[in-house]
Amino acid sequence: MANHKSSVKRIRQTQTKKLRNRYYAKTARNLIKSLRAATVKTEATDLFLKTSSLLDKLAKKNVIHKNKAGNLKSKLAIHVNRLN
């Protein structure tokens, strides 16, 4: 167990952030799966806007790396553009 008040607080903060980050990362993965499964272009376009916005937010908060967010958005945009 930690001996300093500051380290006890740091442990609490880290655990809270970890839970929040896991939730948002899982939400992003679910959005990506549903977007890849979409076959209708209008539906996929709406999902793409939501997904890209969430990926940008996650990259800004350092939940995922900014390059990973860019790579995912690029691949998803290619998928949406190939739909008829």
Side-chain angles (χ1 to χ4, degrees):
M1 187 63 192
N3 293 323
H4 298 285
K5 274 187 170 183
S6 62
S7 60
V8 172
K9 181 179 178 181
R10 175 57 56 199
I11 290 168
R12 274 198 325 264
Q13 288 176 332
T14 303
Q15 192 166 12
T16 304
K17 288 178 184 178
K18 178 182 173 186
L19 288 174
R20 188 179 306 126
N21 290 345
R22 283 179 60 197
Y23 169 76
Y24 283 116
K26 183 65 175 176
T27 304
R29 283 196 303 270
N30 287 338
L31 268 175
I32 291 169
K33 277 184 196 174
S34 61
L35 177 55
R36 287 185 175 146
T39 56
V40 181
K41 185 154 186 153
T42 56
E43 176 188 333
T45 306
D46 294 337
L47 275 174
F48 177 71
L49 292 176
K50 289 180 188 176
T51 306
S52 63
S53 173
L54 183 62
L55 288 173
D56 286 337
K57 287 177 188 173
L58 293 180
K60 186 177 181 183
K61 294 180 181 181
N62 291 323
V63 176
I64 61 173
H65 195 273
K66 64 177 184 174
N67 290 349
K68 181 175 177 70
N71 289 338
L72 284 171
K73 285 174 25 179
S74 173
K75 288 181 182 181
L76 292 173
I78 290 170
H79 171 72
V80 170
N81 288 333
R82 283 184 181 165
L83 293 175
N84 291 334

